[in-house]
Each structure stands twice: as structure tokens, then as C-alpha cells.
Amino acid sequence: MKSKYDVLVIGGGPAGALAAKTAVEKGLSACIVEKRPAIGAPVRCAEGIGKEALQEFIEPDTRWISAEMTGATIVAPDGFVMQLSSQMAGSKVGYVLDRKFFDRELVWKAAEAGADVAVKSRAAAPIIENGVVRGAKVDFCGKVTNVRAEVVIAADGVESKFSKWCGIDTTVPVREIMSSVQYVMTGIEIDQHSTVFYLGNEVAPEGYLWVFPKGKNTANVGIGISGKKSGAGHRAKDYLDAFVKKTFPHGRTIEYIPGGVSVCRPLECTVADGLIITGDAARVVDPLTGGGIYNAMYTGKLAAETAADCIGRGDVSKKALMAYDKTWRASKMGKAIERNYHIKEYLIKQPDTKLNEIIHSVSKINMTEFTTLNLVKEIIRVNPKLVLELGALAASLR
Amino acid sequence: MLKVHRDICGYCGCCVSVCPEGALELIDAYLSVEENCTSCGVCAKVCPLGALEVVHEKQV
């Protein structure tokens, strides 16, 4: 690690890795500082990603893909099952990754392109001069080094502190944090090519429970519930244990990892003078699905592109970096977040009886394109009444 | 004051994201609580495992 870079990236997840790789490809010097001793672990993620979304950034490789998905299943509160599959029967629609290897691959690619990487190295404070972020104090085993940068890219995840230290309010509202726990379970009976989502206030209040296959008889079995619904005796772990006891009584748990996923709106502004905020730290998780891998890679890459452009022009002010904020908000991703936020807000207010009714209306959907938007469109098509309930939102879904 | 049950904590950072004071920080496998913690208990509520507890002074 040197004492000065064009771009300093805080965090070595998908956002940070794409940011660093893109920065060096643009001819900048860049360094990733990752507080954990190993890239990719622990895995606080259900690891699902759509086929097209992944391919936008990297060619799928069996070394970091646990399983290929050909469909998805939604289980209503009353147990009714809705099957979603591709119109081309049996064709791949998505993947469940092995993020221990996937994240490592992304950081390795960044390093191979020329980025420096410092692990077990924590950004302990920003360097701020005249209100401008100019780098970070990096703590490696108690030794603190000042690392200066033209632009700092905060990619420090859900537990992000860097932006807060720079004066940006990143607090997630209690009702909009998904309090989560995931087990990797083996020895369980599953369809190894379909993700399963369980809905209902008894199963996962204001959230959902997932079974994402990791191969034969093995899956990520996890849950996210609203922080508002969490408390002593009824936490995410309590709900998950109840489900597992009933559904997979003979399964073996080989990994046990808690987590938090934000399902709020993104930060009001994702840049400051000398600073760009990306991925989970920017709260750009899809509020409906809780998925964040694609959004992290997209914002990480865009952040570095913007940084390169602004550094090239000698202006890294908030005003100049706003190009990043404007671009992602206007992107397909930005629009999907806004739309899915409204859908999420609608769905969490519905009682189980209503969810049952909606899911009962379609038992099988063959989708041309496997997206949540197409799922919602199909549900609305067979439930015309919903158009009225969704109000203005419905218009944006057509 | 806020008590961290380190034997239960899975150092995930869920609590850090909701802390209105910015008083919590996840340092790899260690959750630090700063002096500006107001014992509001928001973190204890959202913890997926129940690793955080607000302990009132007289109980200490």
C-alpha cells in the first residue's frame, strides 16, 4: 500500500472490486482496503443473481457458481405453490453463486488489472480538508497510515461507517432493515434447480424466507424479517428455526450466519466533495427482493468511471461527481429500485389472506424474461382489481 | 448501557446500520460501542440473534 492513490476504495466486496478494476483500466492508480482478513468470507448473502445481470459484468464460471436455476417457486402463506419458469422450458434463468470464490475472483481481477489490495486493513477515519474528502486513515494491526486519494469510493457495505464519518446520514429506518439469518444446510430434500420463496406473517413478517439451492441436497436456507417485527423471542433466528424444524428436520446446518439487508430508499445523495458511495453502503439494494450483487457491481463500476472522468478534468467536487448520482438514478437499476420500493411498501401492508388471494390467481407462469417486473405484470394482468389498489404505481408497471 | 453478548453476536453489522447515533462499529469480528451510545435499544431490537441488551445502571 502506498501513501497516495488516484482512487481509494473502502471495502473489497463486489462494489469495491468493480470500482478498483474499472479505475485501473481507466489508467488511474487504485487501492482496495478490506477490513476483513479474507475476501469473500463470511458470506452474508443468499447468493442469487439473474443470468443476464451477471453476464453484464463477468462470464459465468463453474469455479464460483454453486448451482444453475431454471425456475423459481413462491409459496403463499396458506402453502399454495406458484411456479415460475422460463418460456423456454429448462433454460437457465439465474445462478446461485459461491461468493467465497466469486468475491475473490472479482478482487483477483482487480489486482491483476493493477489495483493494490490491503486486507485486514480498516479505514478508521476519513481525511477531510476544507470539507473535502482527501483519503482515509488506514489501520493495519494497530499501525495507522494516512492514505491520500483524489477520490474515495465508499463500498463498505451495510455496516458502512465511512460516509457517516463524512457527515452523510446513512441510518437505515428500523422498519426497513431486514434482520436476517441464513443457514447453509445439507442433507435436505430440495429441487436443486429452483429457488423457493416463502411468504406470510407467520413465516417471515414483512419479509420472506428463502431456500436457494447450492447443489444436490444443499441450500442456503435463510430469512429476513422487518426490524420492526423483531424482538426478544421472535427474532429472525426464531422464525428460521421454527421453519427448519418443520421443513428440514433431518438437515444438517454447516454454516450459520446472521446479517442485515436494507430495503429503504437509496441515500438522498450518494456523492460528496471527493467521495462516491456505492453498493449496500449507498443503500441501493433492491427493496423488493433484497438482492444487491448486481447493483453493487453496477454502482462500483459507474463510480470509478465518474471518478476517472472528474479526475481527468481536475474537478472532484460534489457538483462534478453528481454525474454518478444522476446516472444511476436514471438507469434501469435506479428505476427498478424506485418501482420495487413502492411494490414492497404495498405488499408489506397486505394481510396473509390478500397474499393468498394474489398468489392463488396464478399457479404457473412461463415468463419470456425472468424478472420481478414481469412477475408483477402477470399478477396484475390476472388481478385487474389490483390496478385500482396500486393507484399511480400501476401506470408505471405497464 | 449497551451490553454486547459476544458469545451470541455473529458480527454481522445489522445493528450498525440502524444506530441513529453512529455509536456502533463493526471491526471485523468485534463490535465496538462508542461513548455516544444513548442506550436507545434500537440495535437490540433488530439484532437477528439477540446479542445486544440494554442494561440499566442499577442492574450493573
Side-chain angles (χ1 to χ4, degrees), chain A residues 35-37 42 44 120 122-124 158-161 164-165 170-174 177-181 227-231 235-238 256 258-261 283, chain B residues 7-30 32 34 36 41-53:
Chain A
K35 70 181 173 188
R36 297 204 170 85
R44 302 196 194 282
K120 202 166 164 48
R122 182 176 65 96
V158 69
E159 76 263 34
S160 163
K161 287 304 287 280
K164 204 165 224 176
W165 292 331
T170 58
T171 311
V172 177
V174 171
I177 189 74
M178 285 292 114
S179 177
S180 310
V181 182
K228 188 178 85 184
K229 298 285 184 179
S230 170
R235 297 184 186 277
K237 185 176 186 297
D238 300 316
Y256 163 37
V261 181
R283 315 305 186 207
Chain B
D7 48 348
I8 300 174
C9 177
Y11 43 92
C12 70
C14 184
C15 54
V16 178
S17 72
V18 296
C19 175
E21 306 299 326
L24 298 171
E25 188 183 355
L26 183 63
I27 302 171
D28 188 24
Y30 174 89
S32 82
E34 304 298 322
N36 59 333
V42 158
C43 54
K45 179 172 171 59
V46 306
C47 176
L49 309 180
L52 300 169
E53 187 186 359

Side-chain angles (χ1 to χ4, degrees), chain A residues 366-385:
Chain A
N366 288 323
M367 292 196 278
T368 43
E369 203 192 338
F370 213 79
T371 63
T372 48
L373 177 59
N374 283 354
L375 167 61
V376 172
K377 278 182 177 169
E378 180 63 16
I379 287 172
I380 292 176
R381 194 182 65 77
V382 296
N383 295 277
K385 271 194 310 183

Side-chain angles (χ1 to χ4, degrees), chain A residues 112-357:
Chain A
E112 195 187 42
D116 278 356
V117 182
V119 290
K120 202 166 164 48
S121 298
R122 182 176 65 96
I127 297 170
I128 300 176
E129 288 167 4
N130 302 321
V132 182
V133 180
R134 304 305 304 263
K137 292 180 183 297
V138 179
D139 183 334
F140 173 71
C141 300
K143 184 172 172 276
V144 180
T145 311
N146 281 354
V147 181
R148 298 182 63 85
E150 297 295 321
V151 172
V152 175
I153 296 179
D156 47 348
V158 69
E159 76 263 34
S160 163
K161 287 304 287 280
F162 199 84
S163 324
K164 204 165 224 176
W165 292 331
C166 296
I168 295 163
D169 184 12
T170 58
T171 311
V172 177
V174 171
R175 72 175 195 92
E176 297 193 303
I177 189 74
M178 285 292 114
S179 177
S180 310
V181 182
Q182 177 171 276
Y183 298 150
V184 177
M185 295 194 71
T186 192
I188 56 177
E189 293 262 326
I190 51 161
D191 172 354
Q192 62 170 312
H193 295 295
S194 178
T195 49
V196 190
F197 301 82
Y198 292 81
L199 304 180
N201 283 300
E202 302 290 320
V203 184
E206 296 192 11
Y208 66 85
L209 188 149
W210 63 85
V211 177
F212 281 14
K214 296 274 284 176
K216 199 166 174 268
N217 300 336
T218 302
N220 288 333
V221 181
I223 188 172
I225 67 169
S226 163
K228 188 178 85 184
K229 298 285 184 179
S230 170
H234 50 95
R235 297 184 186 277
K237 185 176 186 297
D238 300 316
Y239 284 100
L240 185 59
D241 285 341
F243 174 86
V244 163
K245 196 175 166 191
K246 195 176 77 179
T247 315
F248 302 126
H250 305 298
R252 307 282 195 279
T253 299
I254 58 170
E255 214 167 285
Y256 163 37
I257 309 269
V261 181
S262 70
V263 292
C264 53
R265 280 215 170 91
L267 298 183
E268 267 179 42
C269 182
T270 54
V271 295
D273 290 323
L275 175 71
I276 305 181
I277 312 164
T278 63
D280 282 15
R283 315 305 186 207
V284 293
V285 174
D286 184 316
L288 181 61
T289 64
I293 304 170
Y294 173 87
N295 296 0
M297 291 194 287
Y298 171 82
T299 52
K301 181 165 182 262
L302 180 65
E305 287 166 354
T306 309
D309 191 36
C310 293
I311 291 169
R313 287 189 283 114
D315 181 3
V316 295
S317 66
K318 177 179 174 179
K319 200 178 160 201
L321 297 176
M322 270 306 283
Y324 161 79
D325 192 276
K326 288 203 182 93
T327 305
W328 75 250
R329 278 182 214 276
S331 72
K332 199 174 162 191
M333 178 205 82
K335 287 178 179 155
I337 290 175
E338 183 60 22
R339 185 186 65 227
N340 288 356
Y341 182 80
H342 289 289
I343 298 172
K344 182 263 298 186
E345 285 294 290
Y346 171 78
L347 286 175
I348 61 169
K349 292 184 184 83
Q350 304 311 314
D352 282 357
T353 47
K354 181 72 183 182
L355 293 177
N356 288 333
E357 193 188 304

Side-chain angles (χ1 to χ4, degrees), chain A residues 18-49:
Chain A
L18 264 289
K21 176 170 172 280
T22 308
V24 293
E25 284 170 353
K26 293 271 175 190
L28 303 176
S29 60
C31 181
I32 298 173
V33 290
E34 167 56 54
K35 70 181 173 188
R36 297 204 170 85
I39 300 288
V43 180
R44 302 196 194 282
C45 182
E47 304 177 295
I49 188 167

